[in-house]
């Protein structure tokens, strides 16, 4: 590129033509952009046509579902959970949970990656200012210009397919964020329910321990006075210590549940939330399961797996495009002057366009291997998508099985508690009147304690099954959020 220093006679001409030359540089960029449009339009894609895989699950669930009602995905969690304190805990968790925060940051990272891929479709413009030192009688020369780096003309869709893969990855992270929120809400609810059951079990155990300690005191007095055998005394002692051990176990479980809840909340559990009510006072609405083909495909975790599949499918097109020529374009416009101030007063203008075409002749199977890797990755993504569908189906089926059976189990267990309560009262009367042995009384006491514990645990399982059904049907996230 040669530059000419204007003399005094042509200075005015150079000044008059300066704006015209600057317009030429802009015209050059417009020409480049005009050349790019047909390239984008005619760019072909070698990615396989995407078809959603058929869901490898039955057309209906093996257990009956509630026929009517608001679908879980359309029922906000604020309406599903009626307990005000539980709703407050969920709100705290959504604001502070670190796993959910990571999921949100993953979205930002994926969005930035997509922006990078999208920017690859357009040329990168840069400005430069340099000084060439004097040598061999040639005066020093200042140059300034604007130009593009080596920009790939995407005739074969390589860059576009990479952009589509990045877009799918970004959309997948958004679905992952939704899945993380749904899982977080269900985890907070289940932990809260467990903490509620812990409080109930602790109360039952404290009452039982108090009763057994009183029985142990009376039995010790009778044994010391020769009114009963040591066998009865040792049996009463064993039952009292068993209740004491159960109390310590439940206190430890309550502490573990508090720690788990604190981790979910992202902060210590406020004191007013550490003593919940009873599981008997908590009710949750039933939600219809719908058809598997309609409901499961809309779950965020399933949609995330599908976006991973779409990204893998697009990467095949990018790998196949490597078989074809790699075309890049470098262009620039600038001017030079021996003086730095002369760059803005006059100087010689020049422009250059340099297309480059590179075609691989021998790569020792690299391109073929890259295509095979992309295809295998796509096949893996298909298997992962199908597994996500199957896992979702099993979660819903398990929850429906629990809902269909826990009602009968809970009613039966309530009758067991009622029967054992009456039996214990009668045993006390019979023992006080000398009709039955002390062993019969202790056995009735032990059976009542076990039945009461089982009732609380069954009620907890029923509530957690309802939460599981709500979560497995996509409850906890809505488009408005």
């Amino acid at each position: 590129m040669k530059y000419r220093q204007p003399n005094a006679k042509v200075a005015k001409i150079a000044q008059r033509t300066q704006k015209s030359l600057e317009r030429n540089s802009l015209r050059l960029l417009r020409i480049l952009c005009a050349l790019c449009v047909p390239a984008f339009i005619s760019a072909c894609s070698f990615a396989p046509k995407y078809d959603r895989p058929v869901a490898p699950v039955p057309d209906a669930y093996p257990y009956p579902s509630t026929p009517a009602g608001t679908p879980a995905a359309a029922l906000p969690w604020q309406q599903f959970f009626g307990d005000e304190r539980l709703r407050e805990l969920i709100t705290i968790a959504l604001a502070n949970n670190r796993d959910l925060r990571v999921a949100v940051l993953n979205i930002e990272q994926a969005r930035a990656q997509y922006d990078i891929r999208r920017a690859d479709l357009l040329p990168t413009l840069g400005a430069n200012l340099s000084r060439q030192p004097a040598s061999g009688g040639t005066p020093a020369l200042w140059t300034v210009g604007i130009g593009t780096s080596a920009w790939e003309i995407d005739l074969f869709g390589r860059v576009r397919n990479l952009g589509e893969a990045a877009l799918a990855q970004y959309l997948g992270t958004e679905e992952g964020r939704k899945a993380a929120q749904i899982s977080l809400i269900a985890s907070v609810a289940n932990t809260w329910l467990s903490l509620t059951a812990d409080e109930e079990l602790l109360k039952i155990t404290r009452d039982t321990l108090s009763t057994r300690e009183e029985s142990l005191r009376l039995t010790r007095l009778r044994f010391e006075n020769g009114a009963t055998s040591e066998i009865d005394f040792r049996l009463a002692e064993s039952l009292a210590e068993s209740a004491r051990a159960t109390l310590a176990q439940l206190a430890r479980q309550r502490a573990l549940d508090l720690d788990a809840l604190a981790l979910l909340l992202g902060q210590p559990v406020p004191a007013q939330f550490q003593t919940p009510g009873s599981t008997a006072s908590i009710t949750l609405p039933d939600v219809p399961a719908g058809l598997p083909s309609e409901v499961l495909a809309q779950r965020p975790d399933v949609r995330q797996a599908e976006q991973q599949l779409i990204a893998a499918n697009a990467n095949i097109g990018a790998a196949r495009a490597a078989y074809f020529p790699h075309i890049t374009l470098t262009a620039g416009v600038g001017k030079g002057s021996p003086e730095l101030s002369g760059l803005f007063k006059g100087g010689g203008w020049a422009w250059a366009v340099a297309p480059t075409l590179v075609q691989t002749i021998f790569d020792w199977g690299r391109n073929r291997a890259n295509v095979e890797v992309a295809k295998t990755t796509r096949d893996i993504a298909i298997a992962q998508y199908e597994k996500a569908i199957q896992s979702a189906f099993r979660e819903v089926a398990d929850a429906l099985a629990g809902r269909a059976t826990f009602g009968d189990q809970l009613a039966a267990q309530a009758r067991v508690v009622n029967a054992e309560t009456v039996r214990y009262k009668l045993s006390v009367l019979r023992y006080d009147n000398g009709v039955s042995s002390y062993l019969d009384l202790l056995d009735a006491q032990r059976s009542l304690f076990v039945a009461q514990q089982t009732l609380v645990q069954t009620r907890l399982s029923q509530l957690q099954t309802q939460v599981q059904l709500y979560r497995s049907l996509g409850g906890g996230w809505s488009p408005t959020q």
Side-chain angles (χ1 to χ4, degrees), residues 73-74 178 477-481:
K178 299 174 186 178
W477 175 266
S478 62
T480 56
Q481 296 173 311

Side-chain angles (χ1 to χ4, degrees), residues 322-346:
Y323 281 109
F324 297 90
H326 187 76
I327 303 173
T328 58
L329 183 65
T330 304
V333 61
K335 61 180 179 178
S337 174
E339 301 295 335
L340 181 61
S341 60
L343 293 174
F344 306 99
K345 296 179 180 179

Side-chain angles (χ1 to χ4, degrees), residues 71-347:
L75 182 64
W77 59 266
Q78 295 91 338
Q79 297 179 19
F80 182 78
F81 299 105
D83 190 283
E84 179 63 29
R85 289 185 295 177
L86 176 55
R87 290 199 297 265
E88 291 182 25
L89 287 175
I90 293 175
T91 302
I92 294 174
L94 293 177
N96 299 324
N97 183 263
R98 298 310 188 268
D99 289 336
L100 189 61
R101 189 173 300 176
V102 169
V104 174
L105 293 175
N106 285 336
I107 294 177
E108 299 299 326
Q109 183 183 47
R111 180 186 292 119
Q113 292 291 339
Y114 170 61
D115 290 340
I116 292 173
R117 289 300 183 185
R118 186 173 57 179
D120 289 340
L121 291 170
L122 301 173
T124 301
L125 299 180
N128 63 82
L129 175 66
S130 63
R131 180 179 183 275
Q132 180 179 349
S135 63
T138 302
L141 182 66
W142 287 89
T143 60
V144 64
I146 185 172
T148 67
S149 59
W151 166 60
E152 180 177 352
I153 301 177
D154 192 31
L155 292 178
F156 304 102
R158 189 187 75 87
V159 178
R160 188 176 62 179
N161 282 319
L162 291 176
E164 291 177 357
L167 175 61
Q169 293 286 353
Y170 162 58
L171 296 177
T173 56
E174 284 192 332
E175 298 297 337
R177 190 266 185 205
K178 299 174 186 178
Q181 174 172 321
I182 290 174
S183 178
L184 174 62
I185 291 174
S187 297
V188 172
N190 284 330
T191 307
W192 166 261
L193 292 173
S194 296
L195 187 62
T196 304
D198 292 340
E199 291 291 339
E200 286 189 88
L201 292 172
L202 280 170
K203 183 180 183 305
I204 293 172
T205 305
R206 291 192 188 100
D207 294 342
T208 301
L209 178 60
S210 177
T211 301
R212 291 182 179 181
E213 285 180 338
E214 179 64 18
S215 297
L216 176 61
R217 186 185 67 82
L218 295 175
T219 306
R220 181 183 289 110
L221 291 175
R222 293 169 62 86
F223 171 65
E224 291 174 351
N225 290 279
T228 188
S229 66
E230 186 175 359
I231 293 178
D232 291 343
F233 169 66
R234 294 305 177 185
L235 181 57
E237 183 181 25
S238 174
L239 289 177
E241 294 305 322
S242 296
R244 199 184 312 278
T246 302
L247 183 65
Q249 179 184 2
L250 290 173
R252 180 175 63 254
Q253 184 59 49
R254 179 182 181 277
L256 295 178
D257 287 337
L258 275 175
D259 292 341
L261 186 58
L263 179 61
L264 293 171
L265 298 182
Q267 67 176 45
V269 181
Q272 65 270 25
F273 297 105
Q274 296 186 14
T275 55
S278 65
T279 54
S281 63
I282 300 176
T283 58
L284 299 175
D286 285 334
V287 290
L291 297 177
S293 59
E294 298 176 358
V295 177
L296 300 183
Q298 300 303 316
R299 276 185 32 153
D301 57 336
V302 175
R303 292 167 65 94
Q304 181 182 18
E306 184 177 15
Q307 291 298 332
Q308 298 292 339
L309 173 57
I310 293 174
N313 196 70
N315 283 329
I316 295 177
R320 287 175 174 175
Y323 281 109
F324 297 90
H326 187 76
I327 303 173
T328 58
L329 183 65
T330 304
V333 61
K335 61 180 179 178
S337 174
E339 301 295 335
L340 181 61
S341 60
L343 293 174
F344 306 99
K345 296 179 180 179

Side-chain angles (χ1 to χ4, degrees), residues 39-93:
F40 291 148
I41 296 176
S42 63
C44 56
S45 175
F46 294 99
K49 180 184 177 182
Y50 174 73
D51 292 317
R52 175 182 291 179
V54 178
V57 294
D59 295 332
Y61 298 108
Y63 298 95
S65 171
T66 301
T70 303
L75 182 64
W77 59 266
Q78 295 91 338
Q79 297 179 19
F80 182 78
F81 299 105
D83 190 283
E84 179 63 29
R85 289 185 295 177
L86 176 55
R87 290 199 297 265
E88 291 182 25
L89 287 175
I90 293 175
T91 302
I92 294 174

Side-chain angles (χ1 to χ4, degrees), residues 381-402:
I382 291 175
Q384 291 173 337
Y385 172 76
E386 293 175 342
K387 181 181 177 181
I389 288 282
Q390 291 174 337
S391 298
F393 182 88
R394 178 190 173 183
E395 290 177 2
V396 176
D398 288 350
L400 289 175

